[in-house]
Every structure is written in C-alpha cells, then in structure tokens.
Amino acid sequence: MAGPETNKNMIVANWKTYMDIPKAQEWMSIVGEQVSPDGVMIVICPDYITLPVVKGAIAANNYQFLVGVQDVSPYGEGAYTGEVPAKSLSGSASWAIVGHSERRKLFGETDEMIAEKVNQANESNITPIVCVPGSDTPIPPGCNWVAYEPLFAIGTGNPDTPENANQVAKTLKEKYSDRPLGVLYGGSVTSKNVKSYLDHPYLDGVLVGKASSDQDEFIKIVKASQEKI
Ligand code: PGA
C-alpha cells in the first residue's frame, strides 16, 4: 500500500548528525550514481549544514531524490534566536521530520510544540512527517504522514517485528480515518529487514537512521526495497 500523494514506497534517510560536508559529498555522488528511484520515493534529510551539498548535487546531476529537514521551528520569523523557520527552508526542502523521539526527549518537545511545527511546515508547503512512539501519541491536524518509531528500536539494533509495526500502522489509519495517512516504520531498519516492512500492507515506507549514513548500506536498502516491486 502507498501513502497519500504517492503510489510508491517511501524511504526516508534521516542523517541525524552523522555526516559532515566531505562525507555528504561522497555519499551523494556514490548513491546518486548507483540508485534509481524506480518504485520508491527517496527523501534525504540532512542537517542544515549539509543541506546545500544535497541540494547542489541533486540540481547538478538531476538525481531523483527529494529533500527533507529533520526539524522546523514552531515559530515563524522573528525574535527566536537559534531557530530555523519553515519559511527559510521552503526553497530547500519539501519534507520535514517533526517530533522525532530524540527531540522529544533531549530537547523537551511537547505535543503542543509539535502541532505548531506541523502548522509552520504546512504554511510553507513543507510536508511534515510526525514521529510517534506508538498509536496513543496524538497526531496533529494537518499531518498526513506519520513514522511509527518505538523507543526500544531506535538505534538499538532491536527492531520491532514487521507484524507489530503493521498492526500499529493499521490502528493509526483506523483512528485517523478522517484523512489520508501514510505510515512509515522506523527503528533499526537495515538492508536485511527493510523488505519485510514494505511487504506489509499498512506500511507505506521506512525511516532509516544510522544505516542511511553508510552509503553502501543505503544503496542495499534501496535495492532490497525495489525487489518487491
Ligand atoms: P535508527 O534510527 O535507524 O538509527 O534506529 C531511526 C530514527 O531514529 O529515525
């Protein structure tokens, strides 16, 4: 099954802060040359420093990747020192990860702030992907993409089972049946297990953290995802 706005499986690379500029340049040239977007939609989410590297490589080589950011400010432009408003990102990114569990835990993000971030992203034509640790966490209005990321699975090498991830995705889609909802699974996704998630009908893609920072592993993830099609 595919989420709203696409009939393709989505693969989101969440680079977190694993990459510097030289690594990002190398990653883009190797992955860009070796990966085709057949049947998948690839969204690369660099940090703000490597974002121009990603944008530049896509523009120069016509790589078929989309670009996202890992966060947006809950505020617009103004007296918000250190923030990056969605408006400033709108020419650079079309997607934004919002409310990642690392931001909820380490930076105190609340459901209310996350709802504001969703509003800010939407106003700047950036599609938010809200991360939730389970089906009880609220999904704000205006959000059509969710990543189910159970805490025990993030960065641990201990992923949730595809069956359970599929069940959570089903629950979320039923709970928010008032809107089209794409659901991704995230947490210790690798080239070995990615296909098992994409083969489940309620999952529309995957959000890949650590494994996406390794260019060879990411190429394998994309190729494994395309095998099912
Ligand atoms: P991981 O992270 O793939 O490194 O477990 C996933 C995420 O946090 O988005």
Side-chain angles (χ1 to χ4, degrees):
M1 190 184 285
E5 301 158 44
T6 174
N7 59 0
K8 297 177 172 185
N9 278 308
M10 182 143 87
I11 304 174
V12 182
N14 176 12
W15 281 1
K16 306 194 182 188
T17 60
Y18 291 120
M19 309 292 266
D20 57 17
I21 288 174
K23 270 199 233 169
Q25 285 168 329
E26 186 183 305
W27 192 103
M28 286 303 295
S29 61
I30 292 177
V31 176
E33 292 304 324
Q34 293 193 34
V35 150
S36 82
D38 296 342
V40 292
M41 202 170 92
I42 299 169
V43 183
I44 305 169
C45 299
D47 64 17
Y48 298 130
I49 301 301
T50 51
L51 180 61
V53 173
V54 172
K55 284 293 287 179
I58 290 172
N61 301 288
N62 198 25
Y63 294 143
Q64 300 301 298
F65 300 148
L66 299 168
V67 180
V69 285
Q70 300 172 18
D71 187 26
V72 292
S73 176
Y75 304 106
E77 63 183 39
Y80 305 107
T81 302
E83 287 292 278
V84 180
K87 198 176 153 200
S88 302
L89 296 165
S90 63
S92 302
S94 47
W95 294 81
I97 299 169
V98 173
H100 190 281
S101 66
E102 286 151 14
R103 298 214 56 87
R104 292 179 192 257
K105 180 167 170 240
L106 300 172
F107 302 96
E109 288 193 6
T110 62
D111 292 332
E112 292 71 27
M113 284 165 75
I114 290 160
E116 286 306 318
K117 288 175 180 227
V118 165
N119 287 337
Q120 290 290 330
N122 282 332
E123 275 174 26
S124 292
N125 290 320
I126 295 173
T127 305
I129 304 169
V130 171
C131 300
V132 296
S135 53
D136 291 339
T137 301
I139 296 171
C143 168
N144 296 101
W145 284 89
V146 174
Y148 161 57
E149 299 208 308
L151 299 183
F152 66 81
I154 297 177
T156 59
N158 177 31
D160 200 350
T161 63
E163 293 72 24
N164 194 54
N166 187 56
Q167 188 53 47
V168 173
K170 180 171 186 280
T171 303
L172 285 167
K173 287 180 186 202
E174 285 168 358
K175 192 165 165 189
Y176 296 94
S177 60
D178 57 316
R179 55 180 116 163
L181 195 69
V183 182
L184 313 178
Y185 168 73
S188 299
V189 173
T190 66
S191 60
K192 301 251 172 348
N193 62 25
V194 64
K195 193 166 175 296
S196 63
Y197 295 101
L198 299 180
D199 279 346
H200 277 74
Y202 291 95
L203 291 169
D204 305 299
V206 287
L207 179 48
V208 190
K210 179 84 175 117
S212 76
S213 66
D214 177 331
Q215 58 220 21
D216 298 328
E217 173 64 2
F218 190 71
I219 291 167
K220 284 190 203 158
I221 287 172
V222 175
K223 293 200 164 154
S225 307
Q226 289 167 328
E227 274 168 23
K228 78 182 276 281
I229 294 156

